Amino acid sequence: MNKETLVKIKKTLELKREELSQRVASVKQDFAKGRDPDLQEQVTERENEEVLVQIQAEAEQDLATVCAALIKIDQGDYGVCNSCNSLIDEKRLMALPYAVSCIKCA
């Protein structure tokens, strides 16, 4: 992979990391607000809480994956399939910059 493409992918990953970090922080801030004293509002809040828990879990998982890809770039190990150790196609990495496997192993 050429250096220009790698720089572009790294920038995309850094932006994604920032977006996901903000999403996690926003959910945590929502939880920190506490419950409304109105019982009917509390029912709605509990329903929303389940959705927020799922959003937070997915964002944290994606954030970990993005951070791992950035570490691989810094270490020079980026773009290598975790399963078969072959190079991941550049087009795949452009579409899914945090991919950890080649098309064959995916």
Side-chain angles (χ1 to χ4, degrees), residues 43-62:
V43 171
T44 303
E45 288 174 350
R46 283 191 189 115
E47 290 172 357
N48 290 342
E49 196 172 278
E50 292 175 24
V51 174
L52 288 175
V53 166
Q54 185 63 33
I55 289 171
Q56 181 179 357
E58 288 175 12
E60 287 175 342
Q61 182 179 359
D62 290 347

Side-chain angles (χ1 to χ4, degrees), residues 20-51:
L20 291 166
S21 294
Q22 288 176 1
R23 188 177 305 160
V24 169
S26 176
V27 171
K28 287 181 178 181
Q29 186 178 19
D30 232 20
F31 283 131
K33 287 180 185 176
R35 296 210 185 268
D36 193 294
D38 183 350
L39 290 177
Q40 286 183 320
E41 277 298 312
Q42 286 182 14
V43 171
T44 303
E45 288 174 350
R46 283 191 189 115
E47 290 172 357
N48 290 342
E49 196 172 278
E50 292 175 24
V51 174

